[in-house]
Amino acid sequence: HGAPHPAGAMSTGIVAAVSASTSSRAVGSSRASTARRTIRASSSPSSRCDRWSATRAVPSRVGSARTSGVGFASIPAPRRSTLTRGDDAYGGTDRSGATASALSAAGASSAFAVGIEAFFSFLGTALAALVAGFLALSAWRRNLGLLRPRLTLSKSPRIARLVDSCPALHRPLRPPLLLQTSLAQLIAYLLKRNLVPEARWTRETLTTEDGGEIALEWYECCAEDDVWNGLEGDGSVTRTLPSAAPVMCVLHTLTGTAADFVVLAREAAARGFRPVVCLRRGHLDAPLRTPRFNLLGNCDDLDVHLEAVRMKYPGARLFGYGESAGTGLAVRYSGEKGPNNPFAAVSCVCPGYDTTEGGAFSRFEPLLDRHLLASVKEMFLSANEELIRGFERAYEAPGYDELIAAPDMAELQRRLYGVEGYSSLAEYHERTNPMGTVRDIAVPMLVINSDDDPICAPSNVDDNLWAFEGDVDRALVRTPIGTHCCFYEGRTLRPRSSWAHEASLEFFESVLNEQG
């Protein structure tokens, strides 16, 4: 127990230094491990002799170290830690397992990406094959004449001669390659105002006996004509026509305006006709003057139209062209006039025939029925709510609230009789149904219907084939394609003309040529 042995002092210093180094590394080892590393770290032979001394000195010096000329420096004691199987240091195989899992996930992700790429590649190929097949089928249908119209003629020799003079009635339709389905043509029809050129019209406003407002819209020219110089210009392709040039009077659709007939008017003017659209009440882009309008038009109002036309061009012959709802007025009016019909001939494109209960208005395709219903309510009811609400009649009739609540076109038609000027639904049908006067029509009539019409259903035609029997000047033409008032023709996508327009104008020309 005297002075420390020199070898012991050396061993103690080494232990202190190693302990400080071990603490600074903070590897979380135990005291026993530290002691063993301290003994192995000693390079002096004598330190092995003082192993007991070194290990005993460690706990007394934990947290301090002797340095030359300085007191003890505080050193944090190493913390004990517990290893688990989730720690990387637990075993080498765990790190390899994590790497393998990551590689496996990456491989699965890569395989999924390759699968998605292959799926979309297959989808693109299938779509391309489908489009190519559709185009090939469309070209085959058009080139082989599978779209040829079918004719049903009455027993009149005159109608046979007139039809023979119309080349369009004896050739196949030539729709654009991408417009050979009912849906495609119908979409083009709904967008047609964006597909036709701008046109200039001259409006002549007329007043009816009860104060209502109607108009004649005279065609001047369109942007594709050489004389076109803007909407405010004074160019006109019809101004140079002789005063005796035949006038084609257009009776428009349910919600139609003159803008719907630019292509027809341009083609008619090129053939020497003077086109005019007879705008009914509510179709003038202005509120109604009186609380009255007619879905299918009114014969008294048409009398006002035609009288104004004859006063302006007294030497001209008149021809009636009706589309959809306009055909109802053309047929009803022609039947009421009988042999005194101011029209020399009439063409009806996509008529609905019978408009009584269970007839045309009950057979609309549901989706298009909703579209038409919304358009009619907006055009006639919502735009004139105050006027219609203030309308009082001596008899009971559905008011504005009942009209605006109608769930479909058939029900709206049932409720409109009061606003249309009739005392009951029965009187309305008796005075407006086109088939009520069809037997009395005395002028040549061409009727065109399409097998794929979703508005004027083919069943309408089948139920009224009797109208083409007997010794009357009447011809029915049915086509395999054309949908509702379309019959578009062209090369690829954009419609350039309408087969129905061409057929109708040729029919009018046949009547003109027949009578000198």
Side-chain angles (χ1 to χ4, degrees):
H1 299 294
H5 193 279
M10 181 183 299
S11 175
T12 301
I14 293 173
V15 170
V18 173
S19 297
S21 174
T22 302
S23 176
S24 65
R25 286 194 301 268
V27 295
S29 57
S30 64
R31 288 190 180 96
S33 298
T34 303
R36 285 194 298 270
R37 280 196 295 269
T38 303
I39 294 171
R40 284 196 300 268
S42 177
S43 58
S44 172
S46 61
S47 64
R48 289 193 297 268
C49 299
D50 293 315
R51 182 176 302 172
W52 179 85
S53 170
T55 56
R56 180 178 144 184
V58 169
S60 65
R61 294 294 188 263
V62 170
S64 63
R66 185 177 296 277
T67 56
S68 175
V70 184
F72 289 100
S74 177
I75 300 175
R79 295 182 180 178
R80 297 176 61 88
S81 62
T82 303
L83 300 180
T84 65
R85 291 185 181 274
D87 295 329
D88 288 343
Y90 186 88
T93 57
D94 292 291
R95 182 172 299 178
S96 299
T99 303
S101 298
L103 292 175
S104 177
S109 176
S110 177
F112 178 75
V114 170
I116 290 294
E117 183 179 357
F119 170 76
F120 280 106
S121 177
F122 170 77
L123 189 63
T125 303
L127 183 61
L130 184 63
V131 171
F134 173 78
L135 293 177
L137 179 61
S138 300
W140 177 70
R141 291 177 66 199
R142 187 169 69 171
N143 294 337
L144 289 186
L146 300 181
L147 304 178
R148 191 177 298 276
R150 308 182 307 279
L151 304 178
T152 300
L153 306 181
S154 64
K155 296 179 180 180
S156 166
R158 183 187 181 193
I159 196 67
R161 291 194 302 270
L162 293 175
V163 167
D164 285 343
S165 301
C166 302
L169 297 178
H170 303 283
R171 69 164 177 83
L173 280 71
R174 297 187 289 262
L177 286 177
L178 299 179
L179 296 182
Q180 293 205 21
T181 64
S182 177
L183 178 60
Q185 291 225 353
L186 194 60
I187 291 174
Y189 179 80
L190 296 175
L191 298 176
K192 66 180 178 181
R193 294 191 184 183
N194 299 320
L195 300 175
V196 300
E198 291 183 290
R200 182 161 56 251
W201 306 79
T202 298
R203 176 171 294 184
E204 182 180 350
T205 303
L206 308 171
T207 302
T208 63
E209 190 173 311
D210 66 339
E213 191 174 68
I214 56 179
L216 293 171
E217 202 94 311
W218 297 93
Y219 175 75
E220 298 292 346
C221 62
C222 73
E224 294 184 357
D225 294 321
D226 294 336
V227 298
W228 173 262
N229 52 9
L231 289 173
E232 303 301 327
D234 57 359
S236 174
V237 296
T238 57
R239 194 171 300 168
T240 57
L241 292 173
S243 60
V247 178
M248 182 186 68
C249 302
V250 178
L251 309 181
H252 56 74
T253 58
L254 205 62
T255 58
T257 65
D260 296 322
F261 299 96
V262 174
V263 175
L264 171 62
R266 184 170 187 260
E267 186 172 351
R271 292 174 179 262
F273 290 86
R274 194 185 307 276
V276 60
V277 179
C278 301
L279 294 178
R280 304 194 293 266
R281 304 182 190 216
H283 295 260
L284 279 66
D285 297 322
L288 291 169
R289 289 290 187 89
T290 62
R292 179 181 172 184
F293 64 89
N294 307 87
L295 285 182
L296 301 179
N298 178 272
C299 290
D300 293 335
D301 289 357
L302 185 55
D303 261 336
V304 176
H305 279 123
L306 299 186
E307 184 60 29
V309 172
R310 286 186 291 188
M311 287 183 63
K312 193 167 187 174
Y313 299 102
R317 304 192 66 196
L318 309 186
F319 292 85
Y321 174 90
E323 275 193 8
S324 192
T327 66
L329 180 58
V331 172
R332 180 75 196 192
Y333 183 83
S334 295
E336 287 189 4
K337 294 299 180 181
N340 300 317
N341 193 347
F343 292 132
V346 174
S347 176
C348 296
V349 178
C350 298
Y353 298 85
D354 191 350
T355 59
T356 59
E357 292 297 315
F361 280 88
S362 301
R363 303 181 184 184
F364 294 170
E365 194 279 329
L367 182 62
L368 294 176
D369 184 282
R370 291 194 290 272
H371 169 75
L372 287 173
L373 181 67
S375 300
V376 168
K377 287 181 178 180
E378 176 64 27
M379 187 171 195
F380 296 106
L381 300 179
S382 299
N384 301 282
E385 178 179 357
E386 184 177 352
L387 183 65
I388 295 175
R389 283 189 182 280
F391 180 50
E392 296 182 0
R393 303 190 60 84
Y395 47 82
E396 293 185 3
Y400 179 86
D401 291 332
E402 292 176 89
L403 297 176
I404 203 70
D408 52 44
M409 282 300 303
E411 185 59 34
L412 178 62
Q413 184 206 21
R414 294 186 193 100
R415 300 178 185 184
L416 278 174
Y417 66 85
V419 176
E420 295 219 17
Y422 304 100
S423 59
S424 66
L425 179 59
E427 182 189 7
Y428 164 76
H429 284 317
E430 183 182 353
R431 298 281 300 276
T432 62
N433 181 28
M435 303 311 291
T437 63
V438 69
R439 296 184 186 276
D440 300 320
I441 297 175
V443 299
M445 177 171 288
L446 176 68
V447 180
I448 299 174
N449 280 100
S450 174
D451 294 339
D452 63 347
D453 193 332
I455 299 295
C456 296
S459 60
N460 296 348
V461 188
D462 298 333
D463 292 346
N464 293 278
L465 288 175
W466 56 265
F468 301 93
E469 298 174 352
D471 190 16
V472 293
D473 298 329
R474 230 163 283 165
L476 169 65
V477 186
R478 304 180 76 170
T479 65
I481 190 172
T483 191
H484 187 65
C485 302
C486 297
F487 303 93
Y488 293 135
E489 295 196 310
R491 291 185 177 181
T492 53
L493 177 61
R494 185 175 179 179
R496 296 295 179 180
S497 61
S498 167
W499 175 88
H501 294 169
E502 182 180 346
S504 299
L505 291 171
E506 287 180 354
F507 184 71
F508 294 159
E509 289 174 336
S510 296
V511 174
L512 284 173
N513 295 334
E514 175 196 44
Q515 299 181 3

